[in-house]
Amino acid sequence: MLTKEYRICMPLSVEEYRIGQLYMIAKHSQEQSEKGEGVEVVQNEACSDPVHGKGQYTEKRVHLSSRLPSWLRSLIPDIFYITEKAWNYFPYTLTEYTCSFIPKFSIHIETRYENNNGSSENCLQLSEEELKQREVEHVDIAFDELPPKHYKEEEDLTRFKSVKTQRGPLQPGWRETSQPIMCSYKLARVKFEVFGLQGRVESFTHRSVRDILLLGHRQAFAWIDDWYGMTLDDTRDYEDRMNKETNEKVLAGKGRNSRHSSTASRHSSTASAASE
């Protein structure tokens, strides 16, 4: 199992990020989905935990067969999808990815958000053994390179300036000087127990996870003028609308009935007022 802790700073407060993250996930999923490919929302409802309190549980199916490299695509069926289950007890979240067709593959991401610039050395309270296995990687949303297919000039944070907040463009050393500042601490554990492919698949998966985290956090700030000032209820309503549109796009290409879409919509409506 390959374990990395990604630290991703944002020129936001943790409470601001809570709104921006929900907005970004809903909009990004809708943008990236098309007929037969993308993110299908199966469940979205309130949950609770004796330690972390009230939260939000979501289950999604990520349909992405055609987006994988050819060497990996040749090993899996055309109906391949990954199941994402997430428990969001903000500012702590737990997300897991599994695939019924590849039972020995899994991704577990444990996250905590703090108002600092990535300076907490054990934010997720790991054991001594886990700390020895952990590799820390700082991700710079402004200056780290994205795959060219994801680059958009309007989302280039070295050029972008928010109209509503006057934050940006981000300059070299911005993580040391920006106020407010917060950090996403994400411990990602990738496991693929298949002899001969383990190292290659785990390394590829971590590269993909890093790219997704970089893109998502970059977009959350680049879209700040769209979501800044929204309440949590406003964001839940937006999330509900985007989930419906996304499900319609994905399921339309699979010749399946809309049962999952309507079910997810009901769950979303019921949970929209719940605190995450």
Side-chain angles (χ1 to χ4, degrees):
M1 180 170 64
L2 188 55
T3 302
K4 290 189 178 185
E5 182 181 306
Y6 299 98
R7 299 183 185 178
I8 313 153
C9 290
M10 299 281 284
L12 305 170
S13 69
V14 167
E15 284 306 311
E16 289 173 339
Y17 178 78
R18 183 181 192 181
I19 301 298
Q21 178 200 39
L22 290 173
Y23 180 92
M24 174 274 295
I25 291 173
K27 181 176 178 179
H28 178 84
S29 296
Q30 199 272 350
E31 284 190 347
Q32 295 297 310
S33 297
E34 54 193 33
K35 289 185 178 181
E37 294 276 348
V39 181
E40 174 192 357
V41 181
V42 178
Q43 203 168 346
N44 186 1
E45 63 185 19
C47 64
S48 63
D49 180 87
V51 175
H52 302 295
K54 294 181 179 180
Q56 195 79 7
Y57 169 76
T58 58
E59 182 177 337
K60 302 176 182 179
R61 292 175 180 172
V62 185
H63 303 269
L64 40 57
S65 298
S66 68
R67 303 184 186 191
L68 298 173
S70 57
W71 63 268
L72 185 54
R73 195 161 61 241
S74 66
L75 303 175
I76 61 177
D78 291 337
I79 57 174
F80 171 78
Y81 64 82
I82 288 175
T83 297
E84 175 196 282
K85 295 182 180 181
W87 296 262
N88 195 334
Y89 306 101
F90 199 89
Y92 172 83
T93 67
L94 182 64
T95 309
E96 65 176 33
Y97 299 86
T98 56
C99 177
S100 60
F101 306 111
I102 312 176
K104 295 185 178 182
F105 169 79
S106 65
I107 306 171
H108 292 265
I109 301 178
E110 188 178 0
T111 305
R112 188 173 293 278
Y113 308 102
E114 289 190 348
N115 283 312
N116 57 50
N117 66 350
S119 56
S120 293
E121 286 309 313
N122 192 10
C123 174
L124 293 162
Q125 300 178 350
L126 305 182
S127 67
E128 287 299 323
E129 183 178 352
E130 289 173 316
L131 288 172
K132 291 177 182 178
Q133 297 174 346
R134 175 194 68 174
E135 177 183 337
V136 176
E137 186 169 341
H138 293 268
V139 178
D140 189 327
I141 61 172
F143 292 96
D144 285 359
E145 289 189 10
L146 273 173
K149 64 181 179 180
H150 292 311
Y151 178 82
K152 294 181 181 180
E153 185 174 349
E154 64 270 24
E155 295 173 3
D156 187 333
L157 302 186
T158 65
R159 301 179 181 183
F160 169 77
K161 182 171 183 176
S162 165
V163 174
K164 289 185 177 180
T165 67
Q166 295 298 298
R167 299 175 202 173
L170 300 183
Q171 304 296 328
W174 68 271
R175 289 177 291 185
E176 305 302 323
T177 60
S178 293
Q179 288 296 331
I181 189 79
M182 57 82 63
C183 183
S184 300
Y185 293 84
K186 291 184 172 285
L187 187 74
R189 300 177 175 94
V190 176
K191 183 167 61 174
F192 185 68
E193 298 175 337
V194 176
F195 180 76
L197 289 172
Q198 181 174 0
R200 189 176 185 182
V201 171
E202 290 181 355
S203 296
F204 166 78
T205 302
H206 265 291
R207 288 195 302 272
S208 299
V209 167
R210 189 189 185 283
D211 287 345
I212 291 169
L213 294 176
L214 174 57
L215 176 61
H217 284 74
R218 179 179 291 195
Q219 289 179 330
F221 182 58
W223 296 340
I224 188 172
D225 288 337
D226 295 333
W227 59 259
Y228 192 80
M230 293 175 68
T231 66
L232 186 59
D233 285 344
D234 293 336
T235 313
R236 287 296 186 197
D237 289 341
Y238 177 80
E239 180 185 48
D240 188 30
R241 294 197 305 273
M242 290 298 100
N243 286 349
K244 291 176 181 177
E245 291 182 17
T246 302
N247 279 8
E248 288 172 1
K249 289 170 69 174
V250 174
L251 297 176
K254 292 194 169 292
R256 298 161 59 185
N257 92 28
S258 59
R259 176 174 55 86
H260 292 302
S261 179
S262 60
T263 300
S265 298
R266 289 198 303 274
H267 285 307
S268 297
S269 299
T270 301
S272 63
S275 175
E276 185 170 79

